[in-house]
């Protein structure tokens, strides 16, 4: 198992190196495996195609950051780590975004980020007796919002620092919860 993970990491590093100078769609399996010093058969033993390797790379490097911080009280630290990862790997992430487009990246990240935000939203909504449908809607809403914000920040369309963005997200979520609490109290 260790050897298998190490081989995947070697292929991942090779992909990231190549993506610094080339769009993803111009990178061949042959070029990737030669750069990683492994054979094609080894690549196909671990991955279906380059997109599968890209997905694995993102999951290993970014989703783990968020998953460690799944608790409602520390999710902000996980999100900050995600921004730091994006900043440190900007060329790679921009290449992936430009090569694949937003739709593909959304599919890569959506289920993992949604699971994490789902935990946070569910935790915050416990005292509201919110329906599963309402929690699912909020989770979807905040997952899409976060994806858009991360993309916009990565493309340098925003002036805010990651810390400022995270605080704004936290404020919006807490304001939404407080508003729901107020609405519920007004009904009773």
């Amino acid at each position: 198992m260790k050897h298998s993970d190490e081989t995947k990491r070697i292929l991942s590093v090779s992909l990231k190196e190549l993506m610094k100078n080339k769009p993803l769609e111009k990178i061949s399996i042959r070029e990737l495996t030669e750069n990683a010093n492994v054979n094609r058969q080894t690549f196909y033993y671990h991955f279906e195609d380059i997109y599968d390797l890209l997905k694995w790379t993102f999951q290993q490097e970014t989703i783990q950051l968020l998953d460690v911080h799944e608790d409602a009280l520390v999710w902000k630290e996980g999100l900050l780590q995600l921004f730091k990862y994006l900043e440190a790997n900007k060329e790679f992430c921009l290449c992936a975004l430009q090569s694949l487009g937003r739709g593909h990246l959304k599919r890569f990240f959506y289920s993992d980020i949604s699971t994490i935000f789902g935990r946070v939203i569910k935790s915050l909504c416990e005292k509201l007796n919110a329906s599963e449908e309402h929690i699912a809607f909020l989770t979807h809403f905040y997952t899409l919002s976060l994806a858009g914000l991360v993309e916009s920040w990565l493309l340098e369309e925003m002036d805010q620092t990651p810390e400022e963005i995270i605080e704004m997200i936290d404020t919006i979520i807490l304001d939404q919860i407080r508003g729901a609490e107020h609405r519920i109290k007004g009904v009773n």
Side-chain angles (χ1 to χ4, degrees), residues 1-10 38 42 45-46:
M1 185 69 151
K2 275 187 173 182
H3 181 68
S4 177
D5 286 345
E6 183 59 29
T7 302
K8 289 178 181 180
R9 280 195 262 312
I10 290 168
V38 298
T42 299
Y45 176 77
H46 296 289

Side-chain angles (χ1 to χ4, degrees), residues 62-70 75 78-79 82 113 116:
T62 61
I63 300 308
Q64 286 180 354
L65 294 173
L66 290 172
D67 209 24
V68 168
H69 303 282
E70 64 191 41
W75 68 269
L79 191 52
L82 174 63
I113 292 174
I116 294 159

Side-chain angles (χ1 to χ4, degrees), residues 80-99:
L80 182 59
Q81 293 302 317
L82 174 63
F83 275 106
K84 287 180 181 179
Y85 167 83
L86 293 171
E87 192 168 45
N89 294 278
K90 191 168 189 168
E91 291 169 328
F92 169 65
C93 295
L94 281 172
C95 181
L97 179 63
Q98 292 162 351
S99 294

Side-chain angles (χ1 to χ4, degrees), residues 63-171:
I63 300 308
Q64 286 180 354
L65 294 173
L66 290 172
D67 209 24
V68 168
H69 303 282
E70 64 191 41
D71 182 285
L73 301 175
V74 295
W75 68 269
K76 294 189 293 184
E77 181 59 33
L79 191 52
L80 182 59
Q81 293 302 317
L82 174 63
F83 275 106
K84 287 180 181 179
Y85 167 83
L86 293 171
E87 192 168 45
N89 294 278
K90 191 168 189 168
E91 291 169 328
F92 169 65
C93 295
L94 281 172
C95 181
L97 179 63
Q98 292 162 351
S99 294
L100 297 174
R102 185 176 178 196
H104 282 285
L105 281 185
K106 178 184 160 195
R107 281 191 291 277
F108 283 164
F109 292 117
Y110 186 86
S111 65
D112 295 305
I113 292 174
S114 179
T115 299
I116 294 159
F117 259 120
R119 293 178 194 145
V120 172
I121 298 296
K122 191 170 189 160
S123 170
L124 292 171
C125 288
E126 278 181 348
K127 60 184 171 185
L128 299 177
N129 287 333
S131 70
E132 289 298 318
E133 183 180 328
H134 188 74
I135 291 171
F137 177 82
L138 289 176
T139 300
H140 182 70
F141 178 82
Y142 287 116
T143 300
L144 292 177
S145 297
L146 175 61
L149 286 171
V150 167
E151 177 185 343
S152 187
W153 179 81
L154 189 60
L155 293 170
E156 298 180 354
E157 298 171 344
M158 301 175 69
D159 295 330
Q160 291 83 6
T161 66
E163 293 84 359
E164 291 170 330
I165 293 169
I166 292 165
E167 284 308 311
M168 287 183 208
I169 292 169
D170 187 48
T171 299

Side-chain angles (χ1 to χ4, degrees), residues 13-48:
V13 167
S14 178
L15 179 64
K16 288 175 73 173
E17 286 174 5
L18 292 170
M19 286 177 69
K20 287 180 181 177
N21 302 310
K22 211 179 228 193
L24 185 66
E25 62 273 8
K26 302 265 186 196
I27 298 171
S28 68
I29 300 293
R30 180 174 168 233
E31 181 180 19
L32 176 73
T33 55
E34 284 176 4
N35 189 53
N37 203 24
V38 298
N39 64 44
R40 288 174 58 91
Q41 213 172 349
T42 299
F43 175 87
Y44 285 112
Y45 176 77
H46 296 289
F47 301 104
E48 289 181 26

